Amino acid sequence: MCEQVLGIEPPPEEEKPQRPRTQADKWNTHLAAARQFSEREGHLKVPRRHVETVLWEDGREDQYRLGAWINNQRSRADALSPERVEELSMVGMRWS
């Protein structure tokens, strides 16, 4: 009806809103940024203000406030699941 009466067409796929990101999605993207930083630098002592740029396989480039995220995970270590603690430890997280 919108198309016929008002001449409004649906937006192309690239203009449609993206699906909301889940907490698991956010965790996985930040963990990927942490892995990239660790592989490049040889450690995970990320400066608090560091922003990591990740280039994904589909060509998308995203930036993550990795320093703040690492600091937050370290301060919330008690609340993290054992699986998440293990994932960060394998990347090189120093908890103290």
Side-chain angles (χ1 to χ4, degrees):
M1 183 170 164
C2 287
E3 286 182 55
Q4 294 172 354
V5 176
L6 301 174
I8 299 173
E9 296 181 13
E13 284 299 316
E14 62 271 4
E15 290 182 14
K16 290 183 180 178
Q18 296 177 346
R19 68 177 176 85
R21 291 177 49 198
T22 64
Q23 289 298 334
D25 290 340
K26 292 176 186 178
W27 171 266
N28 290 329
T29 56
H30 280 88
L31 187 61
R35 279 191 188 105
Q36 177 179 290
F37 181 91
S38 178
E39 289 171 5
R40 183 182 66 246
E41 301 295 327
H43 60 80
L44 202 55
K45 296 180 233 166
V46 185
R48 176 90 168 106
R49 294 182 166 261
H50 178 73
V51 176
E52 185 74 8
T53 302
V54 176
L55 180 60
W56 299 101
E57 293 172 359
D58 63 3
R60 190 179 78 242
E61 190 175 290
D62 293 326
Q63 294 187 327
Y64 299 96
R65 294 176 46 209
L66 184 61
W69 186 78
I70 289 290
N71 192 34
N72 289 340
Q73 302 317 307
R74 193 173 286 129
S75 67
R76 297 178 185 142
D78 304 355
L80 291 175
S81 70
E83 294 82 16
R84 288 188 171 181
V85 169
E86 179 64 24
E87 286 178 315
L88 280 171
S89 294
M90 291 182 70
V91 176
M93 174 71 113
R94 296 179 70 193
W95 294 99
S96 56

